[in-house]
Amino acid sequence: MVAPASPTADRTRAQRGNAALERLGYTVELRVDPLRHHGYYAGTDPERATALVAALTDDDLDAVLCLRGGEGCMRTLLALPDRAVDRIRDARPKPLIGYSDITILHAWLQAEIGWVGFSGPMLTSFAEATPYTVEGFQRALAAPAPFTVAAPSDGPQMRTVVPGRAEGRLAGGCLSLVQALVGTPWQPDLDGALLCVEDIGEPPRRIDQMLTQLLAAGLLDRLAGVLVGELVDCNPGVRGDAYPHSLSIEQVLDELLAPLGVPVLSGLPIGHGLHLATLPMGIQAELDADAGVLRVQPAVT
Amino acid sequence: MVAPASPTADRTRAQRGNAALERLGYTVELRVDPLRHHGYYAGTDPERATALVAALTDDDLDAVLCLRGGEGCMRTLLALPDRAVDRIRDARPKPLIGYSDITILHAWLQAEIGWVGFSGPMLTSFAEATPYTVEGFQRALAAPAPFTVAAPSDGPQMRTVVPGRAEGRLAGGCLSLVQALVGTPWQPDLDGALLCVEDIGEPPRRIDQMLTQLLAAGLLDRLAGVLVGELVDCNPGVRGDAYPHSLSIEQVLDELLAPLGVPVLSGLPIGHGLHLATLPMGIQAELDADAGVLRVQPAVT
């Protein structure tokens, strides 16, 4: 377990996550104190960068799990020591697992390293992971085999924004972080991709602004399809507005994504909700917006 | 007056702004109803785009003043009718005035039209404009002559983050919108520029993330200097955080801007504060971070 972004303030939650993982049969090596902090960061930039590189180059580890998101991964990347990327490329590929701010690291793995990162639960997530989350995690991390991600029975409302089927590479993650990647060396290549977006606590006008930026930057011109995951607490009124009207999240998606003319499905449990699917980023998948499922087809390695 | 971004919910405030401008000797032509709305936008995208182009190409107008900010300018630009840019280029140059979301239009004017936009008060700002704001507005809009922007006696705390003097073009505006421009056709060219940044309601971690994106995108590599304007309600705790620690705004500026090695001054009244300086964007100026002033040198036209 490394902490490339933020620390937790709740040691008990970290301990419960650790205990849950050990009950599942994993051996967890805590590389940092989950409470260690520099402001909202889990240590200074060089400390986080050094710990991340040490974990990714340690071939005794089978996977690198992040403590939690928050913020800091881009500053971690800017602080990587000399030759870090070469040293990681020389190491045995291992899954890096996390979501939210970890979106930045998944984009970096795609752009610079070529490893598959997994959008999925983090150490603190396991403190209260549902059976859906745990089973998805174990299935995705097992030996490569096709699997299907469908919504849990008590998941968010499923909505086919634009019907159809599309194949493409899984890309994206938390929308605020996809926005933060634009213009950087780790900007995702979305040509032919299935773009996943999810977020928490961003009102419709912010979701609107972020998608509009991606449109204006031309990043959505050759998309294969869009998976809109959880948009938790993104309803109107979450942040104060100086005027009483708001588009709904559904209107924003209809106005901005429907004109793309590619399949768009909203409602799979990607992101900050109760249930959390585990997705291998960069891997080919088929979005079936009619059936409301995602079929993941990992290459046999 | 046009409304390329959001409407106001307060007709009285718009009327007071209008009356204040008329008392100053201006004749205001309201091109739209300030309360007209489509969600958080002042009309649909094509409506806002058409009204903006009509105003900028109307050579009977001496200036185009925005109603207010909010959001919508980038969607307005994406909805511009065919040949709009050519038609505006053929019209008599006139100042477009506003700040906050209008940052997008200033960047567009620089990138595509070549006119000087003014970061300054909008119609609703005049409902409660201070003498400092009004005098700065009149001085900046008068015939081109050098002028100096100094802090008002009751303005924000002035701080020399990095001492020195630097000359460059004025660029930037509201930091969230500078972020929203990254990767788009209107991304500001910051080489040799004096970057102005201000914002409202964004906690240190968001200010940090936005500046980090500009750094990672290489936009700050050849800056001349930085003017940090008002950061209103950007102190820790404005938005809920899942952990108790935060860097202060001052720490964020020190960690991210001081290493650039160019003069950085914080505290001039640019943005969402009580007082508001009017700045001709794209025009050459000298930042004197020692004396705490900005000397603007408009070219004689």
Side-chain angles (χ1 to χ4, degrees), chain A residues 194-228:
Chain A
L194 293 176
L195 173 63
C196 306
V197 294
E198 58 86 15
D199 221 315
I200 183 168
E202 301 288 358
R205 60 194 179 82
R206 272 281 294 154
I207 301 293
D208 187 332
Q209 186 204 46
M210 294 189 280
L211 290 174
T212 299
Q213 179 173 4
L214 299 182
L215 282 166
L219 295 182
L220 308 188
D221 290 351
R222 286 168 295 278
L223 270 187
V226 186
L227 287 94
V228 180

PDB file of all heavy atoms in Angstrom, chain A residues 194-228:
ATOM      1  N   LEU A 194     -13.266   4.000 -25.053  1.00  0.00           N
ATOM      2  CA  LEU A 194     -14.485   4.074 -24.255  1.00  0.00           C
ATOM      3  C   LEU A 194     -14.148   4.957 -23.059  1.00  0.00           C
ATOM      4  O   LEU A 194     -13.402   4.553 -22.164  1.00  0.00           O
ATOM      5  CB  LEU A 194     -14.911   2.684 -23.784  1.00  0.00           C
ATOM      6  CG  LEU A 194     -15.363   1.692 -24.861  1.00  0.00           C
ATOM      7  CD1 LEU A 194     -15.648   0.330 -24.235  1.00  0.00           C
ATOM      8  CD2 LEU A 194     -16.597   2.215 -25.597  1.00  0.00           C
ATOM      9  N   LEU A 195     -14.667   6.175 -23.070  1.00  0.00           N
ATOM     10  CA  LEU A 195     -14.341   7.128 -22.009  1.00  0.00           C
ATOM     11  C   LEU A 195     -15.236   6.885 -20.799  1.00  0.00           C
ATOM     12  O   LEU A 195     -16.457   6.928 -20.898  1.00  0.00           O
ATOM     13  CB  LEU A 195     -14.553   8.564 -22.519  1.00  0.00           C
ATOM     14  CG  LEU A 195     -14.421   9.674 -21.468  1.00  0.00           C
ATOM     15  CD1 LEU A 195     -13.012   9.727 -20.883  1.00  0.00           C
ATOM     16  CD2 LEU A 195     -14.804  11.031 -22.070  1.00  0.00           C
ATOM     17  N   CYS A 196     -14.594   6.615 -19.645  1.00  0.00           N
ATOM     18  CA  CYS A 196     -15.317   6.501 -18.379  1.00  0.00           C
ATOM     19  C   CYS A 196     -15.218   7.835 -17.647  1.00  0.00           C
ATOM     20  O   CYS A 196     -14.115   8.398 -17.552  1.00  0.00           O
ATOM     21  CB  CYS A 196     -14.698   5.431 -17.485  1.00  0.00           C
ATOM     22  SG  CYS A 196     -14.526   3.819 -18.269  1.00  0.00           S
ATOM     23  N   VAL A 197     -16.334   8.341 -17.150  1.00  0.00           N
ATOM     24  CA  VAL A 197     -16.304   9.558 -16.322  1.00  0.00           C
ATOM     25  C   VAL A 197     -17.196   9.351 -15.109  1.00  0.00           C
ATOM     26  O   VAL A 197     -18.278   8.768 -15.201  1.00  0.00           O
ATOM     27  CB  VAL A 197     -16.760  10.822 -17.092  1.00  0.00           C
ATOM     28  CG1 VAL A 197     -15.781  11.162 -18.198  1.00  0.00           C
ATOM     29  CG2 VAL A 197     -18.160  10.685 -17.665  1.00  0.00           C
ATOM     30  N   GLU A 198     -16.729   9.834 -13.989  1.00  0.00           N
ATOM     31  CA  GLU A 198     -17.507   9.811 -12.737  1.00  0.00           C
ATOM     32  C   GLU A 198     -16.984  10.959 -11.905  1.00  0.00           C
ATOM     33  O   GLU A 198     -15.910  11.507 -12.208  1.00  0.00           O
ATOM     34  CB  GLU A 198     -17.325   8.463 -12.020  1.00  0.00           C
ATOM     35  CG  GLU A 198     -15.890   8.093 -11.667  1.00  0.00           C
ATOM     36  CD  GLU A 198     -15.391   8.644 -10.337  1.00  0.00           C
ATOM     37  OE1 GLU A 198     -16.214   9.094  -9.525  1.00  0.00           O
ATOM     38  OE2 GLU A 198     -14.166   8.641 -10.122  1.00  0.00           O
ATOM     39  N   ASP A 199     -17.740  11.350 -10.861  1.00  0.00           N
ATOM     40  CA  ASP A 199     -17.244  12.424 -10.000  1.00  0.00           C
ATOM     41  C   ASP A 199     -18.076  12.490  -8.730  1.00  0.00           C
ATOM     42  O   ASP A 199     -19.054  11.764  -8.576  1.00  0.00           O
ATOM     43  CB  ASP A 199     -17.244  13.777 -10.721  1.00  0.00           C
ATOM     44  CG  ASP A 199     -15.986  14.568 -10.407  1.00  0.00           C
ATOM     45  OD1 ASP A 199     -15.593  14.624  -9.216  1.00  0.00           O
ATOM     46  OD2 ASP A 199     -15.366  15.114 -11.332  1.00  0.00           O
ATOM     47  N   ILE A 200     -17.662  13.363  -7.832  1.00  0.00           N
ATOM     48  CA  ILE A 200     -18.384  13.545  -6.563  1.00  0.00           C
ATOM     49  C   ILE A 200     -18.375  15.026  -6.194  1.00  0.00           C
ATOM     50  O   ILE A 200     -17.345  15.700  -6.310  1.00  0.00           O
ATOM     51  CB  ILE A 200     -17.754  12.672  -5.445  1.00  0.00           C
ATOM     52  CG1 ILE A 200     -18.555  12.794  -4.138  1.00  0.00           C
ATOM     53  CG2 ILE A 200     -16.274  12.990  -5.219  1.00  0.00           C
ATOM     54  CD1 ILE A 200     -18.183  11.751  -3.086  1.00  0.00           C
ATOM     55  N   GLY A 201     -19.541  15.518  -5.811  1.00  0.00           N
ATOM     56  CA  GLY A 201     -19.631  16.881  -5.275  1.00  0.00           C
ATOM     57  C   GLY A 201     -19.423  17.985  -6.282  1.00  0.00           C
ATOM     58  O   GLY A 201     -19.136  19.120  -5.899  1.00  0.00           O
ATOM     59  N   GLU A 202     -19.565  17.699  -7.572  1.00  0.00           N
ATOM     60  CA  GLU A 202     -19.440  18.732  -8.598  1.00  0.00           C
ATOM     61  C   GLU A 202     -20.831  19.004  -9.164  1.00  0.00           C
ATOM     62  O   GLU A 202     -21.473  18.098  -9.685  1.00  0.00           O
ATOM     63  CB  GLU A 202     -18.501  18.271  -9.721  1.00  0.00           C
ATOM     64  CG  GLU A 202     -17.087  17.920  -9.280  1.00  0.00           C
ATOM     65  CD  GLU A 202     -16.253  19.135  -8.896  1.00  0.00           C
ATOM     66  OE1 GLU A 202     -16.743  20.276  -9.007  1.00  0.00           O
ATOM     67  OE2 GLU A 202     -15.102  18.938  -8.452  1.00  0.00           O
ATOM     68  N   PRO A 203     -21.311  20.233  -9.098  1.00  0.00           N
ATOM     69  CA  PRO A 203     -22.657  20.524  -9.582  1.00  0.00           C
ATOM     70  C   PRO A 203     -22.739  20.418 -11.105  1.00  0.00           C
ATOM     71  O   PRO A 203     -21.702  20.392 -11.779  1.00  0.00           O
ATOM     72  CB  PRO A 203     -22.898  21.953  -9.109  1.00  0.00           C
ATOM     73  CG  PRO A 203     -21.545  22.547  -8.982  1.00  0.00           C
ATOM     74  CD  PRO A 203     -20.628  21.426  -8.580  1.00  0.00           C
ATOM     75  N   PRO A 204     -23.949  20.351 -11.653  1.00  0.00           N
ATOM     76  CA  PRO A 204     -24.099  20.212 -13.106  1.00  0.00           C
ATOM     77  C   PRO A 204     -23.275  21.229 -13.898  1.00  0.00           C
ATOM     78  O   PRO A 204     -22.697  20.882 -14.931  1.00  0.00           O
ATOM     79  CB  PRO A 204     -25.597  20.439 -13.319  1.00  0.00           C
ATOM     80  CG  PRO A 204     -26.226  19.962 -12.057  1.00  0.00           C
ATOM     81  CD  PRO A 204     -25.260  20.328 -10.970  1.00  0.00           C
ATOM     82  N   ARG A 205     -23.191  22.475 -13.403  1.00  0.00           N
ATOM     83  CA  ARG A 205     -22.444  23.478 -14.175  1.00  0.00           C
ATOM     84  C   ARG A 205     -20.955  23.133 -14.271  1.00  0.00           C
ATOM     85  O   ARG A 205     -20.297  23.466 -15.252  1.00  0.00           O
ATOM     86  CB  ARG A 205     -22.645  24.879 -13.580  1.00  0.00           C
ATOM     87  CG  ARG A 205     -22.180  25.010 -12.155  1.00  0.00           C
ATOM     88  CD  ARG A 205     -22.718  26.294 -11.506  1.00  0.00           C
ATOM     89  NE  ARG A 205     -22.284  26.386 -10.133  1.00  0.00           N
ATOM     90  CZ  ARG A 205     -21.083  26.847  -9.762  1.00  0.00           C
ATOM     91  NH1 ARG A 205     -20.227  27.284 -10.650  1.00  0.00           N
ATOM     92  NH2 ARG A 205     -20.742  26.869  -8.492  1.00  0.00           N
ATOM     93  N   ARG A 206     -20.413  22.448 -13.261  1.00  0.00           N
ATOM     94  CA  ARG A 206     -19.007  22.039 -13.322  1.00  0.00           C
ATOM     95  C   ARG A 206     -18.842  20.823 -14.240  1.00  0.00           C
ATOM     96  O   ARG A 206     -17.896  20.759 -15.036  1.00  0.00           O
ATOM     97  CB  ARG A 206     -18.486  21.704 -11.916  1.00  0.00           C
ATOM     98  CG  ARG A 206     -17.932  22.889 -11.160  1.00  0.00           C
ATOM     99  CD  ARG A 206     -16.516  23.247 -11.620  1.00  0.00           C
ATOM    100  NE  ARG A 206     -15.553  22.183 -11.277  1.00  0.00           N
ATOM    101  CZ  ARG A 206     -14.422  21.960 -11.928  1.00  0.00           C
ATOM    102  NH1 ARG A 206     -14.100  22.711 -12.964  1.00  0.00           N
ATOM    103  NH2 ARG A 206     -13.626  20.985 -11.564  1.00  0.00           N
ATOM    104  N   ILE A 207     -19.735  19.846 -14.128  1.00  0.00           N
ATOM    105  CA  ILE A 207     -19.697  18.693 -15.042  1.00  0.00           C
ATOM    106  C   ILE A 207     -19.785  19.212 -16.483  1.00  0.00           C
ATOM    107  O   ILE A 207     -19.036  18.776 -17.373  1.00  0.00           O
ATOM    108  CB  ILE A 207     -20.866  17.729 -14.728  1.00  0.00           C
ATOM    109  CG1 ILE A 207     -20.809  17.221 -13.276  1.00  0.00           C
ATOM    110  CG2 ILE A 207     -20.891  16.569 -15.733  1.00  0.00           C
ATOM    111  CD1 ILE A 207     -19.655  16.315 -12.949  1.00  0.00           C
ATOM    112  N   ASP A 208     -20.684  20.152 -16.709  1.00  0.00           N
ATOM    113  CA  ASP A 208     -20.892  20.802 -18.000  1.00  0.00           C
ATOM    114  C   ASP A 208     -19.595  21.468 -18.472  1.00  0.00           C
ATOM    115  O   ASP A 208     -19.119  21.245 -19.592  1.00  0.00           O
ATOM    116  CB  ASP A 208     -22.013  21.829 -17.783  1.00  0.00           C
ATOM    117  CG  ASP A 208     -22.510  22.518 -19.035  1.00  0.00           C
ATOM    118  OD1 ASP A 208     -21.732  22.665 -19.994  1.00  0.00           O
ATOM    119  OD2 ASP A 208     -23.674  22.950 -19.040  1.00  0.00           O
ATOM    120  N   GLN A 209     -18.978  22.255 -17.595  1.00  0.00           N
ATOM    121  CA  GLN A 209     -17.757  22.972 -17.983  1.00  0.00           C
ATOM    122  C   GLN A 209     -16.625  22.001 -18.329  1.00  0.00           C
ATOM    123  O   GLN A 209     -15.889  22.211 -19.297  1.00  0.00           O
ATOM    124  CB  GLN A 209     -17.325  23.884 -16.822  1.00  0.00           C
ATOM    125  CG  GLN A 209     -16.154  24.779 -17.146  1.00  0.00           C
ATOM    126  CD  GLN A 209     -15.400  25.211 -15.892  1.00  0.00           C
ATOM    127  OE1 GLN A 209     -15.087  24.407 -15.001  1.00  0.00           O
ATOM    128  NE2 GLN A 209     -15.123  26.490 -15.814  1.00  0.00           N
ATOM    129  N   MET A 210     -16.509  20.933 -17.553  1.00  0.00           N
ATOM    130  CA  MET A 210     -15.409  19.987 -17.799  1.00  0.00           C
ATOM    131  C   MET A 210     -15.617  19.251 -19.126  1.00  0.00           C
ATOM    132  O   MET A 210     -14.683  19.113 -19.926  1.00  0.00           O
ATOM    133  CB  MET A 210     -15.280  19.013 -16.630  1.00  0.00           C
ATOM    134  CG  MET A 210     -14.839  19.734 -15.347  1.00  0.00           C
ATOM    135  SD  MET A 210     -14.412  18.631 -13.960  1.00  0.00           S
ATOM    136  CE  MET A 210     -16.034  18.201 -13.323  1.00  0.00           C
ATOM    137  N   LEU A 211     -16.844  18.792 -19.379  1.00  0.00           N
ATOM    138  CA  LEU A 211     -17.106  18.113 -20.649  1.00  0.00           C
ATOM    139  C   LEU A 211     -16.938  19.087 -21.818  1.00  0.00           C
ATOM    140  O   LEU A 211     -16.427  18.715 -22.888  1.00  0.00           O
ATOM    141  CB  LEU A 211     -18.513  17.510 -20.651  1.00  0.00           C
ATOM    142  CG  LEU A 211     -18.728  16.315 -19.718  1.00  0.00           C
ATOM    143  CD1 LEU A 211     -20.203  15.912 -19.713  1.00  0.00           C
ATOM    144  CD2 LEU A 211     -17.855  15.121 -20.129  1.00  0.00           C
ATOM    145  N   THR A 212     -17.344  20.346 -21.626  1.00  0.00           N
ATOM    146  CA  THR A 212     -17.197  21.348 -22.687  1.00  0.00           C
ATOM    147  C   THR A 212     -15.723  21.565 -23.017  1.00  0.00           C
ATOM    148  O   THR A 212     -15.347  21.724 -24.185  1.00  0.00           O
ATOM    149  CB  THR A 212     -17.871  22.669 -22.260  1.00  0.00           C
ATOM    150  OG1 THR A 212     -19.268  22.429 -22.057  1.00  0.00           O
ATOM    151  CG2 THR A 212     -17.697  23.747 -23.323  1.00  0.00           C
ATOM    152  N   GLN A 213     -14.871  21.565 -21.986  1.00  0.00           N
ATOM    153  CA  GLN A 213     -13.432  21.705 -22.244  1.00  0.00           C
ATOM    154  C   GLN A 213     -12.909  20.536 -23.079  1.00  0.00           C
ATOM    155  O   GLN A 213     -12.145  20.732 -24.027  1.00  0.00           O
ATOM    156  CB  GLN A 213     -12.662  21.803 -20.925  1.00  0.00           C
ATOM    157  CG  GLN A 213     -11.146  21.934 -21.123  1.00  0.00           C
ATOM    158  CD  GLN A 213     -10.398  22.194 -19.835  1.00  0.00           C
ATOM    159  OE1 GLN A 213     -11.002  22.212 -18.763  1.00  0.00           O
ATOM    160  NE2 GLN A 213      -9.103  22.416 -19.930  1.00  0.00           N
ATOM    161  N   LEU A 214     -13.328  19.319 -22.732  1.00  0.00           N
ATOM    162  CA  LEU A 214     -12.890  18.149 -23.508  1.00  0.00           C
ATOM    163  C   LEU A 214     -13.364  18.265 -24.959  1.00  0.00           C
ATOM    164  O   LEU A 214     -12.622  17.947 -25.894  1.00  0.00           O
ATOM    165  CB  LEU A 214     -13.411  16.856 -22.878  1.00  0.00           C
ATOM    166  CG  LEU A 214     -12.958  16.538 -21.453  1.00  0.00           C
ATOM    167  CD1 LEU A 214     -13.530  15.190 -21.005  1.00  0.00           C
ATOM    168  CD2 LEU A 214     -11.440  16.515 -21.335  1.00  0.00           C
ATOM    169  N   LEU A 215     -14.594  18.746 -25.146  1.00  0.00           N
ATOM    170  CA  LEU A 215     -15.115  18.965 -26.499  1.00  0.00           C
ATOM    171  C   LEU A 215     -14.292  20.015 -27.235  1.00  0.00           C
ATOM    172  O   LEU A 215     -13.873  19.805 -28.382  1.00  0.00           O
ATOM    173  CB  LEU A 215     -16.566  19.461 -26.435  1.00  0.00           C
ATOM    174  CG  LEU A 215     -17.649  18.430 -26.160  1.00  0.00           C
ATOM    175  CD1 LEU A 215     -18.957  19.125 -25.800  1.00  0.00           C
ATOM    176  CD2 LEU A 215     -17.846  17.537 -27.392  1.00  0.00           C
ATOM    177  N   ALA A 216     -14.061  21.153 -26.585  1.00  0.00           N
ATOM    178  CA  ALA A 216     -13.349  22.258 -27.240  1.00  0.00           C
ATOM    179  C   ALA A 216     -11.911  21.865 -27.557  1.00  0.00           C
ATOM    180  O   ALA A 216     -11.333  22.339 -28.540  1.00  0.00           O
ATOM    181  CB  ALA A 216     -13.379  23.507 -26.352  1.00  0.00           C
ATOM    182  N   ALA A 217     -11.337  21.002 -26.725  1.00  0.00           N
ATOM    183  CA  ALA A 217      -9.961  20.551 -26.963  1.00  0.00           C
ATOM    184  C   ALA A 217      -9.899  19.464 -28.036  1.00  0.00           C
ATOM    185  O   ALA A 217      -8.815  19.002 -28.385  1.00  0.00           O
ATOM    186  CB  ALA A 217      -9.348  20.042 -25.653  1.00  0.00           C
ATOM    187  N   GLY A 218     -11.051  19.051 -28.547  1.00  0.00           N
ATOM    188  CA  GLY A 218     -11.081  18.052 -29.625  1.00  0.00           C
ATOM    189  C   GLY A 218     -10.860  16.632 -29.148  1.00  0.00           C
ATOM    190  O   GLY A 218     -10.716  15.721 -29.961  1.00  0.00           O
ATOM    191  N   LEU A 219     -10.868  16.426 -27.822  1.00  0.00           N
ATOM    192  CA  LEU A 219     -10.544  15.093 -27.304  1.00  0.00           C
ATOM    193  C   LEU A 219     -11.667  14.083 -27.530  1.00  0.00           C
ATOM    194  O   LEU A 219     -11.439  12.882 -27.452  1.00  0.00           O
ATOM    195  CB  LEU A 219     -10.210  15.163 -25.811  1.00  0.00           C
ATOM    196  CG  LEU A 219      -8.962  15.954 -25.444  1.00  0.00           C
ATOM    197  CD1 LEU A 219      -8.726  15.903 -23.942  1.00  0.00           C
ATOM    198  CD2 LEU A 219      -7.747  15.408 -26.180  1.00  0.00           C
ATOM    199  N   LEU A 220     -12.879  14.577 -27.795  1.00  0.00           N
ATOM    200  CA  LEU A 220     -14.019  13.667 -27.927  1.00  0.00           C
ATOM    201  C   LEU A 220     -14.392  13.421 -29.392  1.00  0.00           C
ATOM    202  O   LEU A 220     -15.411  12.795 -29.676  1.00  0.00           O
ATOM    203  CB  LEU A 220     -15.230  14.228 -27.161  1.00  0.00           C
ATOM    204  CG  LEU A 220     -14.980  14.618 -25.695  1.00  0.00           C
ATOM    205  CD1 LEU A 220     -16.288  14.969 -25.009  1.00  0.00           C
ATOM    206  CD2 LEU A 220     -14.260  13.516 -24.938  1.00  0.00           C
ATOM    207  N   ASP A 221     -13.553  13.895 -30.309  1.00  0.00           N
ATOM    208  CA  ASP A 221     -13.899  13.831 -31.743  1.00  0.00           C
ATOM    209  C   ASP A 221     -13.964  12.405 -32.283  1.00  0.00           C
ATOM    210  O   ASP A 221     -14.709  12.129 -33.220  1.00  0.00           O
ATOM    211  CB  ASP A 221     -12.879  14.616 -32.578  1.00  0.00           C
ATOM    212  CG  ASP A 221     -12.998  16.114 -32.372  1.00  0.00           C
ATOM    213  OD1 ASP A 221     -13.969  16.547 -31.728  1.00  0.00           O
ATOM    214  OD2 ASP A 221     -12.107  16.852 -32.847  1.00  0.00           O
ATOM    215  N   ARG A 222     -13.146  11.518 -31.763  1.00  0.00           N
ATOM    216  CA  ARG A 222     -13.078  10.164 -32.313  1.00  0.00           C
ATOM    217  C   ARG A 222     -13.268   9.099 -31.222  1.00  0.00           C
ATOM    218  O   ARG A 222     -12.686   8.023 -31.271  1.00  0.00           O
ATOM    219  CB  ARG A 222     -11.754   9.958 -33.056  1.00  0.00           C
ATOM    220  CG  ARG A 222     -11.710  10.684 -34.405  1.00  0.00           C
ATOM    221  CD  ARG A 222     -10.325  10.724 -35.007  1.00  0.00           C
ATOM    222  NE  ARG A 222      -9.430  11.521 -34.176  1.00  0.00           N
ATOM    223  CZ  ARG A 222      -9.354  12.863 -34.217  1.00  0.00           C
ATOM    224  NH1 ARG A 222     -10.092  13.545 -35.047  1.00  0.00           N
ATOM    225  NH2 ARG A 222      -8.527  13.517 -33.416  1.00  0.00           N
ATOM    226  N   LEU A 223     -14.090   9.438 -30.232  1.00  0.00           N
ATOM    227  CA  LEU A 223     -14.447   8.480 -29.180  1.00  0.00           C
ATOM    228  C   LEU A 223     -15.191   7.292 -29.764  1.00  0.00           C
ATOM    229  O   LEU A 223     -15.911   7.433 -30.757  1.00  0.00           O
ATOM    230  CB  LEU A 223     -15.417   9.143 -28.199  1.00  0.00           C
ATOM    231  CG  LEU A 223     -14.905   9.889 -26.994  1.00  0.00           C
ATOM    232  CD1 LEU A 223     -16.096  10.273 -26.133  1.00  0.00           C
ATOM    233  CD2 LEU A 223     -13.929   9.052 -26.197  1.00  0.00           C
ATOM    234  N   ALA A 224     -15.077   6.134 -29.091  1.00  0.00           N
ATOM    235  CA  ALA A 224     -15.913   4.987 -29.451  1.00  0.00           C
ATOM    236  C   ALA A 224     -17.235   5.015 -28.685  1.00  0.00           C
ATOM    237  O   ALA A 224     -18.286   4.657 -29.225  1.00  0.00           O
ATOM    238  CB  ALA A 224     -15.165   3.688 -29.168  1.00  0.00           C
ATOM    239  N   GLY A 225     -17.182   5.430 -27.424  1.00  0.00           N
ATOM    240  CA  GLY A 225     -18.390   5.459 -26.605  1.00  0.00           C
ATOM    241  C   GLY A 225     -18.085   6.077 -25.247  1.00  0.00           C
ATOM    242  O   GLY A 225     -16.919   6.367 -24.942  1.00  0.00           O
ATOM    243  N   VAL A 226     -19.131   6.283 -24.457  1.00  0.00           N
ATOM    244  CA  VAL A 226     -18.965   6.907 -23.141  1.00  0.00           C
ATOM    245  C   VAL A 226     -19.696   6.093 -22.084  1.00  0.00           C
ATOM    246  O   VAL A 226     -20.861   5.723 -22.270  1.00  0.00           O
ATOM    247  CB  VAL A 226     -19.502   8.358 -23.102  1.00  0.00           C
ATOM    248  CG1 VAL A 226     -19.173   9.014 -21.759  1.00  0.00           C
ATOM    249  CG2 VAL A 226     -18.944   9.188 -24.252  1.00  0.00           C
ATOM    250  N   LEU A 227     -19.012   5.815 -20.980  1.00  0.00           N
ATOM    251  CA  LEU A 227     -19.624   5.238 -19.785  1.00  0.00           C
ATOM    252  C   LEU A 227     -19.652   6.316 -18.715  1.00  0.00           C
ATOM    253  O   LEU A 227     -18.586   6.720 -18.229  1.00  0.00           O
ATOM    254  CB  LEU A 227     -18.807   4.080 -19.239  1.00  0.00           C
ATOM    255  CG  LEU A 227     -18.822   2.757 -19.989  1.00  0.00           C
ATOM    256  CD1 LEU A 227     -17.652   2.697 -20.955  1.00  0.00           C
ATOM    257  CD2 LEU A 227     -18.733   1.624 -18.990  1.00  0.00           C
ATOM    258  N   VAL A 228     -20.830   6.787 -18.372  1.00  0.00           N
ATOM    259  CA  VAL A 228     -20.958   7.736 -17.271  1.00  0.00           C
ATOM    260  C   VAL A 228     -21.207   6.920 -16.018  1.00  0.00           C
ATOM    261  O   VAL A 228     -22.216   6.213 -15.921  1.00  0.00           O
ATOM    262  CB  VAL A 228     -22.115   8.724 -17.520  1.00  0.00           C
ATOM    263  CG1 VAL A 228     -22.222   9.703 -16.364  1.00  0.00           C
ATOM    264  CG2 VAL A 228     -21.921   9.454 -18.848  1.00  0.00           C
TER     265      VAL A 228
END
